Amino acid sequence: MSRYEPAVIEAKWQQAWAEAQIFAARHDPARPKYYVLEMFPYPSGRIHMGHVRNYTMGDVVARYKAAQGFSVLHPMGWDAFGMPAENAAMATGVHPKDYTYGNIAEMKAQMAPLGLSIDWSREFATCDPEYYGQQQSMFIDMLNKGLVYRKAAVVNWDPVDMTVLANEQVIDGKGWRSNAPVERRELTQWFFKISDYSGELLAALDGLTQWPEKVRIMQANWIGKSRGIEVTFPLTAPVAGLTALVCYSTRPDTLRAASFIAISPDHSIAKELAATDPELAAFCEECRRIGTSEELLEKAEKLGRDTGLTVSHPIYPDRKLPVWIGNFVLMDYGTGAVFGCPGHDQRDLDFARKYRLPVSKAFDLPGGTPELADVALVPPKTEPVVYIDHFAGITAATSAEGIDATIDWMDAHGLGKGQTRYRLRDWGISRQRYWGCPIPVIHCDTCGVVPEKKENLPVELPYDVTFDIPGNPLDRHPTWRDCTCPVCGAAARRETDTMDTFMDSSWYFARFTAPHAKTPTDLAEAAYWMNVDQYIGGVEHAILHLLYSRFFARAMHATGHLPAKAIEPFNALFTQGMVTHEIYKTTDDNGRAVFHLPEDIRKLAIDGNVVTVLKSRLTDIGIDPETLEIPEDALDAITLLAEMQVEVVPSAKMSKSKKNVVDPMNIIGSFGADTARWFVLSDSPPERDVEWTASGAEATNKHLTRVWTLCTRIGDMPADHKGEGDDALTRATARAVHEVTQGIEGFAFNKAIAKLYEFTNILSKSNASTRAMQAAMQTLAQLMSPMTPHIAESIWASVGGVGLCAQAPWPKADPALLVDDTIILPIQINGKRRAEISVPADLAAAEVEKIALANEDVQKFLAGATVKKLIVVPGRIVNVVI
RNA sequence: GCCCGCGUGGUGAAAUGGUAGACACAGGGGACUUAAAAUCCCCAGGCCGCAGGGCCGUGCCGGUUCAAGUCCGGCCGCGGGCACCA
């Protein structure tokens, strides 16, 4: 061994692994399998630190499990459809296909030097016709199975660009390119019946014990199970063909205090009234401009208009309630009408105060009767309340009990049917875009909407399309749209909508088990490899991607594409934190934020303060940003610097638009892949965000160099060196094996690495025999190999390891070496640490008590006081209470 | 607005309810060197004290407990998701 030269050894060992083909997943029924998967990337063209972190974590697991003797599947692919390719096409004229495959080639080339143990023979991109053709085939199966249907749904419509906009493309209610106010437009679209599975998807969360609790809670809330009842309010006079308004409510126990009805601006009554009332029509139109996202609707100021209509209260028919149109009522949820109860709902109270609607209460708190002002009375449902003149005779109960009792009573008295509902809505998959999987259906004037014949799959995207004008190029393609009806053979039109890219990512994990099968999956392969044993990805996917995948696995099972055991496809989930970085922000003349690249920024110290400015501004006032040489005549300019401050926002999510993306290739180039891998694992616990810092990589590199030097030194030791401390080193080695193993098992890579630092420090200070030192070094190489596989191989080879370190069985710690004979017990007096004693590890508690009380320091603090209580926690602590 | 999470030294962090700050970065001191870099050794939560040592300390307020960073309640701040970003 000579110097530590990562570039040399990394290339060498990567080649050795490739030649031995040790990462090819083998279907070996004799061995247990382990499927580790990282969420596959969108091919943006550049890998970023988040990718490095994600794939390194997966690689640690994959290499560790392989060393444990599992047959490991660790694949990689590309989530390749989506808007960015079309945006690039519009911006630069490059074709989405060329753009995407070009990016894939670039990213793959950037991933190669990381030395990941990936089985590249299974690689695919979702935009490969071979992949999306199988997706189309499954779509048809699911359509035939009744899992897919069409219905009208609203989209954001840009009236200038004449195109549908994603929520992301709507900025302050305006189209991102046209800047025109966005409209809401109804289109007939395809939907998956995910809501049919609401109950099952919710119930099955309990079985996902290896998922983070928070993800299960988020999914449960998203599915949103509620028990409620539909309450019918008869209209005083019929309108729009309706004689009553039906409102779904989860709080019928507050029905007594209902004071108004609010209906959606899209409700049929609202539409009917708007037809003859221009002012009301304008209001409804205004409501629709808010947008389609739940966030915007919830945040918008609550506005309403009195329709002049009234309904009578179902329990107290003499009471007439006004019917309002409210911008907060969604047509998609429930019935598009709700009853307002200002006494016990904050939003309703705000609304009632604003429009001077009556406010009353249905219950009080047991202790008293607070006057309602601007805060609604909404106690936790588990706490007791005292009902006021409850129509079902309920007096005091928790509101949870009150709700149930009210529903039961109303059910029994024919006032409605108690029901369980879910918030989860069906999954709309139609996208009016080119770069996605074509929906394989045909519109025929006589036969209606019919699926394409399977033998005609894949329905391939045409290459000859243009992006010079906005909108879906498939719509205006001269010939692609034209086809013949697969049923009657008459001239017909292809569906020009493509599928939501969430479809592509909802089954790729299954495809990896047989990536080139002529059917969507190969059941024998799926039966062996599924489920994914460890799935790793960003927490931003906690709800949508993971929920859709759970649903899709069930839909695939229902259509015979997955075995029953795979309906929950991810056994264990780990959600990693993001890699963040500072952002540099200034504001333009219009008040909009402008972001700057790190290389355009200069930080300089002036009078002890760090000033962050744009290099270009320095140049403007005559200061060279590189040398910081200040010409005489520019001295006054320094005083201007404070006003030029760039706003520095720490820990911001890395994104292209914020210009704070760090390129991992630079670190790999200067320090090597092992340094990059070690750093992203060492600096923060995996589930937490980690802020990228340049100094971290340097420090890591120093450490690896130290390990290398240490290994060289041990290699140079005379073979017969006796030394001393072999026993201590053996114990330290066993402890390192134990703790590093625990760290990896527990997804605490940062802790595993801390233990490796500790062990390395012990090893470098040890003066044990050559034999013991070499054995310890060999174990160190193995323990490091999941994180830093290249340097581990070199060390392994130099201290006599047989074969490849990557194929060596994981070391085991002798439990006998892990326990110490004597331990140090701290002694607390009234909870404060005052002394410590050294005792045999297995000493009986009674003996520990004696020694503790006899201790000189303890006696000093006791000062003759009586001991009220003495707590001995074996092996941990003694607490004396006086 | 709603749902979820996070908050510990100058920094990243560690701590089955049981010695808060392991491990590392930045920093300080020293060795080596003509010098610097590199390397090695030592110090290091804050305050008081020459020292032995003492007091305070895990975003804030309160509670449970012999014992709370950890559990409970209420706040504050930051981050993620909100169904067409992936």
Side-chain angles (χ1 to χ4, degrees):
Chain A
M1 290 177 90
S2 47
R3 271 178 43 223
Y4 176 45
E5 289 179 283
V8 176
I9 65 158
E10 288 177 6
K12 173 183 156 191
W13 293 115
Q14 283 168 20
Q15 199 189 335
W17 299 327
E19 277 165 12
Q21 293 195 24
I22 59 173
F23 305 137
R26 292 195 179 80
H27 182 152
D28 178 358
R31 279 195 299 161
K33 64 89 190 179
Y34 197 90
Y35 183 2
V36 55
L37 182 66
E38 301 97 62
M39 291 180 185
F40 67 164
Y42 175 79
S44 61
R46 303 295 298 177
I47 65 166
H48 54 67
M49 292 312 301
H51 293 128
V52 174
R53 197 175 188 212
N54 192 188
Y55 308 142
T56 303
M57 287 180 196
D59 203 43
V60 169
V61 175
R63 287 174 176 274
Y64 169 72
K65 289 293 175 180
Q68 295 268 13
F70 289 89
S71 178
V72 170
L73 171 57
H74 184 209
M76 182 59 68
W78 310 95
D79 189 14
F81 277 132
M83 288 203 307
E86 289 191 38
N87 294 341
M90 284 189 281
T92 69
V94 61
H95 192 281
K97 182 177 175 181
D98 301 332
Y99 170 85
T100 302
Y101 281 103
N103 282 351
I104 288 173
E106 278 185 47
M107 282 181 79
K108 198 178 169 186
Q110 290 164 28
M111 281 166 73
L114 279 170
L116 302 168
S117 64
I118 287 168
D119 180 358
W120 283 105
S121 73
R122 291 172 186 255
E123 174 195 7
F124 61 78
T126 56
C127 63
D128 296 343
E130 192 191 1
Y131 180 78
Y132 71 70
Q134 300 298 343
Q135 189 165 308
Q136 292 169 337
S137 172
M138 283 196 292
F139 177 89
I140 292 170
D141 293 342
M142 291 172 189
L143 179 61
N144 292 334
K145 192 82 183 174
L147 290 163
V148 192
Y149 68 102
R150 295 206 320 152
K151 73 168 178 184
V154 290
V155 293
N156 301 306
W157 179 258
D158 186 322
V160 171
D161 276 353
M162 303 288 283
T163 186
V164 176
L165 297 177
N167 283 338
E168 190 190 54
Q169 298 172 312
V170 180
I171 295 153
D172 296 334
K174 299 188 175 105
W176 67 325
R177 291 159 63 90
S178 69
N179 212 27
V182 170
E183 297 171 1
R184 232 194 279 189
R185 179 171 278 214
E186 272 200 346
L187 296 177
T188 304
Q189 308 194 56
W190 289 98
F191 283 82
F192 270 103
K193 285 189 180 171
I194 187 172
S195 62
D196 280 2
Y197 289 78
S198 300
E200 195 194 326
L201 288 168
L202 180 66
L205 286 172
D206 288 339
L208 299 177
T209 53
Q210 295 181 78
W211 281 40
E213 180 76 20
K214 64 169 176 175
V215 174
R216 289 189 284 159
I217 292 170
M218 279 193 271
Q219 291 220 353
N221 290 337
W222 186 262
I223 294 168
K225 185 177 183 172
S226 67
R227 182 159 188 250
I229 192 164
E230 280 184 353
V231 186
T232 303
F233 293 79
L235 278 156
T236 316
V239 64
L242 296 172
T243 57
L245 277 172
V246 179
C247 302
Y248 176 73
S249 173
T250 57
R251 287 307 299 263
D253 63 321
T254 66
L255 189 54
R256 176 188 181 274
S259 71
F260 65 94
I261 302 287
I263 61 172
S264 163
D266 296 315
H267 197 280
S268 59
I269 289 179
K271 286 180 178 168
E272 170 101 359
L273 295 175
T276 56
D277 183 341
E279 209 206 318
L280 213 56
F283 174 72
C284 291
E285 202 45 49
E286 195 54 43
C287 294
R288 291 191 188 102
R289 279 196 218 291
I290 296 172
T292 57
S293 85
E294 190 177 310
E295 182 190 359
L296 290 172
L297 291 167
E298 286 285 330
K299 272 188 179 165
E301 189 190 356
K302 306 297 179 280
L303 297 173
R305 286 291 182 279
D306 191 353
T307 62
L309 306 174
T310 54
V311 294
S312 40
H313 195 290
I315 311 286
Y316 314 100
D318 293 348
R319 285 194 216 160
K320 304 296 178 208
L321 311 183
V323 178
W324 283 63
I325 297 173
N327 66 350
F328 52 88
V329 185
L330 300 175
M331 202 54 219
D332 295 353
Y333 292 168
T335 59
V338 297
F339 72 78
C341 179
H344 305 295
D345 184 280
Q346 191 59 46
R347 184 191 64 195
D348 292 349
L349 183 62
D350 295 343
F351 192 79
R353 293 296 185 218
K354 182 174 199 162
Y355 294 109
R356 299 174 187 284
L357 293 161
V359 177
S360 65
K361 289 183 289 188
F363 56 75
D364 279 313
L365 298 179
T369 312
E371 198 58 39
L372 285 176
D374 293 326
V375 181
L377 181 59
V378 193
K381 286 187 182 166
T382 49
E383 281 177 22
V385 295
V386 180
Y387 284 103
I388 305 164
D389 296 338
H390 193 287
F391 48 84
I394 298 160
T395 50
T398 66
S399 26
E401 291 162 355
I403 292 164
D404 278 341
T406 306
I407 291 172
D408 294 342
W409 185 87
M410 291 180 73
D411 210 323
H413 288 75
L415 285 162
K417 193 94 192 128
Q419 51 186 269
T420 297
R421 285 202 181 187
Y422 298 91
R423 201 183 73 104
L424 182 64
R425 306 204 292 260
D426 276 336
W427 174 17
I429 58 144
S430 295
R431 298 291 180 272
Q432 295 69 40
R433 277 189 262 280
Y434 166 77
W435 194 233
C437 170
I439 296 175
V441 297
I442 287 159
H443 298 260
C444 171
D445 286 338
T446 40
C447 306
V449 184
V450 292
E452 177 59 279
K453 287 181 187 164
K454 285 230 179 160
E455 60 261 37
N456 291 340
L457 300 182
V459 176
E460 257 189 82
L461 287 169
Y463 185 79
D464 55 332
V465 285
T466 54
F467 293 88
D468 45 346
I469 52 171
N472 183 356
L474 295 176
D475 260 342
R476 53 175 189 265
H477 190 279
T479 55
W480 189 80
R481 269 185 78 157
D482 304 332
C483 61
T484 54
C485 172
V487 178
C488 70
R493 297 172 320 282
R494 237 175 240 302
E495 167 91 41
T496 56
D497 282 356
T498 52
M499 295 183 204
D500 177 9
T501 53
F502 273 123
M503 279 277 286
D504 312 336
S505 55
S506 289
W507 73 286
Y508 75 108
F509 47 85
R511 183 69 180 170
F512 275 135
T513 65
H516 306 298
K518 298 298 176 206
T519 48
T521 55
D522 176 320
L523 284 178
E525 292 296 323
Y528 177 73
W529 290 112
M530 289 298 285
N531 296 338
V532 176
D533 293 281
Q534 182 66 61
Y535 196 32
I536 309 167
V539 70
E540 67 272 20
H541 296 292
I543 297 176
L544 291 179
H545 162 60
L546 290 164
L547 191 60
Y548 289 147
S549 295
R550 296 179 59 220
F551 159 72
F552 210 77
R554 285 166 169 78
M556 284 176 74
H557 172 59
T559 48
H561 295 298
L562 273 181
K565 72 163 194 172
I567 60 169
E568 273 306 337
F570 310 120
N571 287 350
L573 172 72
F574 189 87
T575 55
Q576 56 159 359
M578 294 179 306
V579 181
T580 63
H581 191 252
E582 292 181 338
I583 52 177
Y584 311 103
K585 198 163 83 171
T586 54
T587 310
D588 72 6
D589 295 341
N590 299 322
R592 288 203 178 192
V594 181
F595 298 99
H596 306 281
L597 293 164
E599 55 261 38
D600 295 335
I601 294 294
R602 192 75 164 88
K603 290 188 179 185
L604 55 158
I606 296 176
D607 299 336
N609 298 313
V610 175
V611 180
T612 310
V613 287
L614 279 171
K615 285 182 184 173
S616 59
R617 299 296 294 270
L618 290 172
T619 315
D620 288 348
I621 56 172
I623 301 173
D624 184 327
E626 301 309 324
T627 63
L628 289 179
E629 263 175 41
I630 303 168
E632 290 267 316
D633 58 348
L635 279 173
D636 289 343
I638 295 174
T639 57
L640 294 172
L641 284 173
E643 292 164 34
M644 296 182 181
Q645 282 261 31
V646 172
E647 191 188 344
V648 181
V649 184
S651 303
K653 181 179 181 177
M654 284 194 188
S655 78
K656 227 174 186 175
S657 62
K658 288 177 183 161
K659 298 194 178 177
N660 63 339
V661 178
V662 169
D663 191 343
M665 300 320 289
N666 295 338
I667 311 145
I668 297 172
S670 12
F671 301 120
D674 283 340
T675 290
R677 294 170 59 115
W678 181 278
F679 171 71
V680 294
L681 296 175
S682 67
D683 224 35
S684 269
E687 68 278 10
R688 213 183 288 184
D689 288 356
V690 56
E691 171 126 34
W692 166 256
T693 62
S695 57
E698 246 174 277
T700 298
N701 191 251
K702 278 185 193 172
H703 173 70
L704 293 182
T705 307
R706 266 195 297 273
V707 174
W708 184 274
T709 311
L710 174 61
C711 181
T712 310
R713 207 187 82 210
I714 292 171
D716 292 345
M717 281 166 66
D720 57 354
H721 175 71
K722 289 280 183 284
E724 56 193 28
D726 281 19
D727 189 52
L729 186 57
T730 311
R731 281 176 175 273
T733 306
R735 211 160 36 240
V737 169
H738 179 70
E739 286 172 340
V740 171
T741 304
Q742 281 206 317
I744 293 175
E745 289 275 357
F747 247 88
F749 306 125
N750 57 324
K751 283 190 259 172
I753 284 177
K755 296 302 170 192
L756 286 170
Y757 272 112
E758 236 170 52
F759 183 43
T760 306
N761 289 341
I762 291 170
L763 182 54
S764 67
K765 283 177 181 137
S766 172
N767 181 31
S769 69
T770 304
R771 251 192 50 168
M773 295 287 276
Q774 286 200 345
M777 198 70 213
Q778 199 169 322
T779 304
L780 178 62
Q782 282 188 277
L783 295 178
M784 286 174 72
S785 72
M787 292 83 156
T788 51
H790 310 90
I791 191 172
E793 290 286 1
S794 289
I795 295 169
W796 177 259
S798 85
V799 291
V802 180
L804 288 167
C805 183
Q807 289 187 290
W810 193 251
K812 284 194 171 65
D814 179 356
L817 294 174
L818 298 176
V819 286
D820 289 316
D821 299 339
T822 57
I823 52 170
I824 289 169
L825 272 188
I827 299 169
Q828 292 185 333
I829 292 165
N830 285 344
K832 278 182 189 289
R833 183 186 172 282
R834 295 298 186 190
E836 62 182 38
I837 52 174
S838 181
V839 292
D842 52 0
L843 192 67
E847 293 300 312
V848 173
E849 281 182 18
K850 275 184 207 162
I851 297 172
L853 289 176
N855 182 275
E856 198 179 316
D857 289 332
V858 173
Q859 283 300 323
K860 194 177 84 192
F861 275 96
L862 288 181
T866 347
V867 175
K868 286 186 194 152
K869 205 169 177 182
L870 189 60
I871 294 134
V872 178
V873 184
R876 305 292 322 196
I877 203 164
V878 179
N879 194 10
V880 186
V881 185
I882 54 175

